[in-house]
Amino acid sequence: MLIETLKKLFNRDLNMLKFEIESYQNETNLWKIESNISNSAGNLCLHLIGNLNTYIGAQFGKTGYIRNRALEFSLKDIPKTELLSKIEATRIAVNNALNGISEEDLNTEYPLLVFENKTSTEFMFIHLTTHLAYHLGQINYHRRLLDTKI
């Protein structure tokens, strides 16, 4: 039951991420930073893609994804169409990985030490849903604040 809930949440929020990225009227504003806004929407999008591909896709979907976290925040001016393709590929990778997980698997220890202490797979997946939602909210505000200035 939790697996189905997780899939619904990841699909909902990754589709909303696509909507937010698509909604930028001026594509260059995806990469804009200003005042106290230190991360662009484009970089937050890359960060979410890297995060989910690392902690779900590679670990449970065996995708072979190798993360370069520094690039998530340093790359600039990636075309909107490429970001949208990466989001969709991530959505598919997350779904495929979750399709291979049982409810019993959620109670096992997550295979990587991500935090100070070991966690269950269930805890890690719930953390990843809230992490996605947190940055999705930042992207929404970024768009509404900075995409109005064309």
Side-chain angles (χ1 to χ4, degrees), residues 28-41 76 141-150:
T28 61
N29 286 341
L30 277 164
W31 304 97
K32 193 172 190 177
I33 55 173
E34 191 174 285
S35 302
N36 292 325
I37 300 173
S38 56
N39 291 312
S40 71
K76 305 291 180 212
Y141 265 83
H142 181 277
R143 180 181 57 77
R144 291 187 290 138
L145 289 170
L146 300 183
D147 194 41
T148 58
K149 301 174 185 176
I150 297 177

Side-chain angles (χ1 to χ4, degrees), residues 69-84:
R69 192 174 187 280
L71 285 179
E72 295 168 13
F73 294 99
S74 64
L75 288 175
K76 305 291 180 212
D77 302 322
I78 294 172
K80 184 194 292 191
T81 55
E82 188 175 336
L83 290 176
L84 294 170

